[in-house]
Amino acid sequence: MSVRTGAVRPAVRGAEPAVRPVPGREQGSGPGGSRAGVRSTARVTARADGRGGTALPVLESEGSLALRRVRAAGAEARVVLVGAMSGPLGGDHITVEAHADHSAHLRLGSVAATLALPGQATEEARYDVRLTVADGARLDWLPEQLISAADSDLRVTTRVDLAPEAHLVFREEQVLGRVGERPGRLTSRLTLHHAGRPLLDQELACGPGAPGGWDGPAVLAGHRALGQLVVVRPEFAREQPSATVLDADGTAVLSPLPGPAVLVTAVATDALRLRRTLDAALGRLL
């Protein structure tokens, strides 16, 4: 897919700058002319505009990523990630950084699923996400699914830093292989800190080369779509939902975290069923 990276006029009121592509895309070649990988970075900063809305003083991207602000209602600023080329492939390194300043509301999504593919380079691909949310701010991280295609090797690392009165909605969905295809190797780690203290730190590895048992009854039990939803609300410090199983099959559970947060973990046979489960859980928590 080809995306033009020229200036884009903001779709809503405010004095934000136009989308600014940043030079510096690095794409080299390894031994024998193989593709060494692309370095791609996207940065977003959201700030209350003083008129009941949210401004975006920083909105920049380079490499295989393009950022677009889209129309939203109320105080929310909505931004989507657009893939300007296929991947991530072996050796690629993608970084997304987003910051919601005091009283801002930022919603980040994507226009399509991310497809991890094998490349000529033998190294793993990396996808790093860094989210920070200030007091009184809210950040919604709601991208489309990540699909691990056969023979790919991708490591996803996400770190979220939350102020004591921050709000967060975080959804992560992963699909192991396309239809009728074996999965690639996918390693995913999620770390959340609230008020400077660890709230959640977990890692899951799936696919060829992952530690044994990932497809067993204690982990995926043969399912090929897995996801989680983290909701952080200051109100949960006073009244927190109780641990419960969310469906009759026992494939989705809600677990309160030690703090104003709730974790929903789900597995499903396909991406559509997974999304329906997580959407229903989100509606229950907001």
Side-chain angles (χ1 to χ4, degrees):
M1 175 168 58
S2 176
V3 176
R4 188 176 66 179
T5 58
V8 176
R9 185 179 301 276
V12 298
R13 67 179 185 177
E16 304 84 23
V19 175
R20 178 167 60 89
V22 178
R25 166 176 165 172
E26 301 174 13
Q27 182 172 359
S29 59
S34 64
R35 182 179 183 275
V38 174
R39 304 296 182 262
S40 304
T41 303
R43 297 184 181 91
V44 185
T45 297
R47 187 170 297 155
D49 64 7
R51 304 189 302 274
T54 298
L56 300 175
V58 177
L59 185 63
E60 56 188 38
S61 54
E62 63 179 350
S64 63
L65 293 178
L67 288 171
R68 297 290 182 264
R69 181 168 187 170
V70 297
R71 194 173 298 276
E76 177 185 273
R78 185 173 297 188
V79 177
V80 294
L81 284 162
V82 180
M85 60 181 70
S86 61
L89 309 182
D92 287 355
H93 187 180
I94 295 173
T95 303
V96 178
E97 300 174 358
H99 173 70
D101 209 346
H102 180 73
S103 298
H105 184 181
L106 174 62
R107 179 187 177 107
L108 269 169
S110 60
V111 298
T114 298
L115 180 61
L117 295 166
Q120 293 178 331
T122 58
E123 346 42 315
E124 68 180 8
R126 293 172 56 190
Y127 197 131
D128 296 331
V129 178
R130 302 289 181 263
L131 309 176
T132 57
V133 190
D135 279 325
R138 173 172 167 174
L139 193 152
D140 294 17
W141 174 256
L142 299 168
E144 296 302 311
Q145 297 89 355
L146 169 63
I147 302 171
S148 175
D151 300 320
S152 65
D153 187 357
L154 177 64
R155 176 177 293 272
V156 180
T157 304
T158 303
R159 174 167 176 134
V160 184
D161 289 287
L162 303 166
E165 297 298 316
H167 296 69
L168 175 74
V169 175
F170 178 93
R171 185 186 69 208
E172 185 175 60
E173 299 169 304
Q174 298 162 347
V175 180
L176 303 182
R178 292 167 289 193
V179 176
E181 178 185 61
R182 69 183 188 280
R185 178 167 180 171
L186 177 62
T187 304
S188 178
R189 182 174 182 179
L190 171 62
T191 306
L192 281 85
H193 286 76
H194 180 262
R197 303 181 62 180
L199 180 64
L200 176 67
D201 190 345
Q202 64 180 26
E203 179 172 305
L204 177 65
C206 305
W214 65 270
D215 202 22
V219 187
L220 296 186
H223 295 89
R224 282 296 178 266
L226 60 149
Q228 54 191 352
L229 175 71
V230 180
V231 177
V232 180
R233 300 179 64 190
E235 300 92 317
F236 288 163
R238 299 185 294 273
E239 184 177 358
Q240 193 174 40
S242 302
T244 185
V245 177
L246 296 176
D247 61 2
D249 298 329
T251 56
V253 295
L254 183 153
S255 305
L257 298 176
V262 171
L263 170 67
V264 175
T265 305
V267 295
T269 54
D270 57 54
L272 181 60
R273 289 181 176 86
L274 178 66
R275 175 64 61 84
R276 287 173 176 168
T277 298
L278 295 180
D279 281 351
L282 182 58
R284 178 174 180 167
L285 294 170
L286 293 182

